Amino acid sequence: MAPPSPAARRSDLRRRRREETGTLRAVAIVGRPVARHLDDGTILEVTRTASDGARNANSVRYGASWRAAKAHGYQRLITFAQAGVSGASLRGAGWGLIAGRPPRAGWHTPSRPRAAGHGTDHIARFVWQAP
C-alpha cells in the first residue's frame, strides 16, 4: 500500500507560546516533502509558517518544529524560501542555507499541463535545513 499523500499526512504543529493570555502566536505546517525525490521517509518539510508579528515567533516555531520532527524519528527538516526573503527567522533558529534553486519558467510540462500565473514563476528559491 502506498503512503498517504503529502496533503493527507500534513501535520499542523500548533503550539502556544505561553504568555499571560495564552494567545496563539505562530503556527507551522509540517509534512512530507512536496518533491518526490526528497520523500524518503527520513525528511519532513516546513511548507508554511505564520505569526502575529510577535518578536521571534517564527524562529521559535522553526525550532519547535525541528524538535518535534526529531522526536518522531525524522533525520532532516527542510524548507524553501523565495529569493528576497531575509531568512532571519531561519538563522535565528539555527538553520543553515544548503542550496539555491534557479527560477522556474513555470510548472507546465508536456506530461502535466499547468496554467500560468500562480505567483511563483520566475522566482529563485533557497533550501534551508534545520541544525
Side-chain angles (χ1 to χ4, degrees):
M1 185 170 163
S5 69
R9 292 259 331 254
R10 186 170 292 160
S11 168
D12 182 359
L13 297 176
R14 295 181 188 182
R15 302 237 179 199
R16 294 182 188 270
R17 184 174 174 204
R18 292 293 176 193
E19 296 180 4
E20 310 81 53
T21 62
T23 303
L24 179 66
R25 299 307 228 171
V27 295
I29 307 297
V30 179
R32 290 173 47 201
V34 175
R36 290 179 291 185
H37 71 280
L38 293 174
D39 191 10
D40 63 2
T42 66
I43 301 172
L44 286 179
E45 179 180 344
V46 178
T47 55
R48 295 278 190 276
T49 62
S51 78
D52 66 354
R55 185 171 172 85
N56 300 323
N58 265 345
S59 294
V60 170
R61 189 66 4 245
Y62 280 117
S65 296
W66 175 227
R67 288 189 299 276
K70 282 194 302 187
H72 284 92
Y74 290 94
Q75 297 172 6
R76 290 178 64 198
L77 181 61
I78 63 168
T79 193
F80 290 81
Q82 293 182 352
V85 172
S86 74
S89 295
L90 293 158
R91 285 192 307 278
W95 288 47
L97 181 63
I98 60 170
R101 298 286 187 257
R104 293 180 62 116
W107 291 100
H108 176 78
T109 62
S111 62
R112 296 183 99 178
R114 299 281 197 272
H118 294 291
T120 57
D121 301 347
H122 307 288
I123 298 175
R125 297 151 296 143
F126 297 98
V127 185
W128 292 78
Q129 180 174 299

